[in-house]
Amino acid sequence: MTNSARLTEIDGHVAIVTGAAGGIGRATALRLADAGASVVLVDLVAESLDTVADEVTALGSRAVTLVGDVTDDELAPAAVKLALDTFHRLDILVNNAGMGSEQVPTWQIDPAVWRRDLEVNLTSQFVMARAAVPVMIEAGYGRIINVASAAGMEGHAMAGGYAAAKAGVVAMTKTMGKELAKHGVIVNAIAPALINSRMLHEPWFTDEVRNALLSRIPMGRVGEPEEVAELIAYLASPAVTFTTGHVFDLSGGRATY
Ligand SMILES: NC(=O)c1ccc[n+]([C@@H]2O[C@H](COP(=O)([O-])OP(=O)(O)OC[C@H]3O[C@@H](n4cnc5c(N)ncnc54)[C@H](O)[C@@H]3O)[C@@H](O)[C@H]2O)c1
C-alpha cells in the first residue's frame, strides 16, 4: 500500500504544478498523480516536462504540459484555462518554480538581477494565484501551496534577492490565507532548506556553501524531493481544514521558529 491510500480524497482533483520539470516539482507532480490527481505541468524545459508527463501517465493519472516562463503574465491564465479546458476543474495550485541567485553581497547585486529574482521567485506566484483564485472561490474549494525557503525566514547571506523574494512569498501566503479563509481556499507555504535537486548543482552552490549549510542541519543530511512532495501532498488535500496562512518547515531540524 502506498501513502496515497491516505490521500484518496484528491483522487479526481486537478492540480497545476509549476517548475514541474525540476526536482521538487517533478516529485510533487508524481506524488499527486499517485494519489489520483490530474496535473497541469508547467516549466521552461519542454523535454524534461514530457518525461514527467510520461511518468504521470505510467502511474495511471492524466497530465498536460505547458512550456513557458512563469514571469510571463500570459502564462498563468493560460495554465488555468488549460486545466479547465482539459480537466474541467482546478483544485490545487503548487507554486514551485524558482531559481537561486548568484553569490553576491546584496549591495552589489545588479538591479536587473534583483528584479529578476523577485519576478521569478515571488511575482510569478502572485500572478498564478491571481489567475487560479477566482476559479477556486467560485468552486468554494481550493488548496494553494507556495514554495518559499528557509532563506525567506532567516535571510541568506550572498543571496539577497532570492531571500527577499522568498520572504515575500511568506508574507503573501499569510495575507492570502486571511483573505481567503471564508472561501474554502486554504493557502499555505513550505520553507525547505537544502533539498537534493538541480538547484544544488548550480554554480553558486559551491562546496563551501554546501558544507556551511549542512553543518547547520541537525539531521546532518540534505533532504530529498520526495520528502518535500509528501508534505505538499498533505497540504494539497482536504485533510487540511483549520490551518491556513502557515509556513511549514522542511529543514531536518535546522529551523526552530
Ligand atoms: N533545493 C533546495 O534546497 C530548495 C530550498 C529551498 C527552496 N527551494 C525552492 O524549491 C523550488 C523548486 O526548486 P528545486 O529545488 O526543485 O530546483 P530545480 O532547479 O530542480 O527546479 C526548479 C524548476 O523551476 C523551473 N523554473 C525556474 N525558473 C522558471 C521560470 N521562470 N518559468 C518556469 N519554470 C521555471 C526550472 O526550469 C526547474 O525545472 C524553488 O522555488 C526553490 O526556490 C529549493
Side-chain angles (χ1 to χ4, degrees):
M1 184 176 75
T2 66
N3 286 332
S4 61
R6 291 198 293 274
L7 287 167
T8 47
E9 298 96 328
I10 69 168
D11 195 359
H13 283 200
V14 174
I16 294 175
V17 180
T18 69
I24 293 171
R26 169 183 169 274
T28 298
L30 297 183
R31 182 66 185 81
L32 297 177
D34 193 37
S38 302
V39 282
V40 177
L41 307 168
V42 181
D43 206 293
L44 286 169
V45 191
E47 198 181 322
S48 319
L49 214 47
D50 288 341
T51 306
V52 179
D54 289 345
E55 291 178 290
V56 166
T57 308
L59 288 169
S61 285
R62 296 180 298 166
V64 284
T65 61
L66 181 62
V67 178
D69 189 326
V70 289
T71 67
D72 172 0
D73 284 348
E74 305 299 316
L75 189 82
V80 171
K81 185 171 184 308
L82 186 59
L84 296 178
D85 287 351
T86 313
F87 303 124
H88 314 296
R89 58 191 284 172
L90 176 61
D91 307 280
I92 301 161
L93 168 62
V94 183
N95 268 325
N96 166 73
M99 63 173 194
S101 301
E102 53 185 279
Q103 291 282 295
V104 179
T106 302
W107 63 92
Q108 292 176 5
I109 297 173
D110 183 320
V113 172
W114 173 275
R115 289 194 183 96
R116 176 77 186 164
D117 281 344
L118 264 64
E119 279 284 314
V120 175
N121 293 299
L122 172 60
T123 308
S124 66
Q125 297 199 10
F126 154 70
V127 293
M128 285 303 307
R130 191 171 181 277
V133 164
V135 176
M136 293 177 172
I137 289 178
E138 174 89 25
Y141 180 89
R143 295 289 179 270
I144 299 177
I145 300 93
N146 297 325
V147 179
S149 168
M153 304 294 283
E154 302 176 6
H156 190 103
M158 311 293 276
Y162 178 78
K166 293 299 192 179
V169 168
V170 169
M172 184 182 72
T173 301
K174 291 181 178 182
T175 301
M176 290 186 65
K178 294 180 201 310
E179 291 169 343
L180 291 165
K182 292 198 173 139
H183 292 279
V185 182
I186 284 180
V187 188
N188 287 301
I190 60 163
L194 217 53
I195 306 302
N196 189 15
S197 72
R198 255 198 329 245
M199 216 175 223
L200 302 198
H201 301 282
E202 288 174 11
W204 63 271
F205 195 74
T206 58
D207 282 350
E208 196 185 345
V209 173
R210 180 190 181 88
N211 292 336
L213 289 172
L214 263 183
S215 71
R216 297 171 56 201
I217 297 179
M219 288 188 189
R221 65 171 177 87
V222 300
E224 294 302 324
E226 289 72 20
E227 295 179 281
V228 182
E230 200 58 38
L231 179 57
I232 293 176
Y234 170 67
L235 295 173
S237 80
V240 181
T241 53
F242 203 49
T243 305
T244 193
H246 193 66
V247 186
F248 291 80
D249 158 65
L250 279 150
S251 70
R254 165 176 147 186
T256 49
Y257 37 77

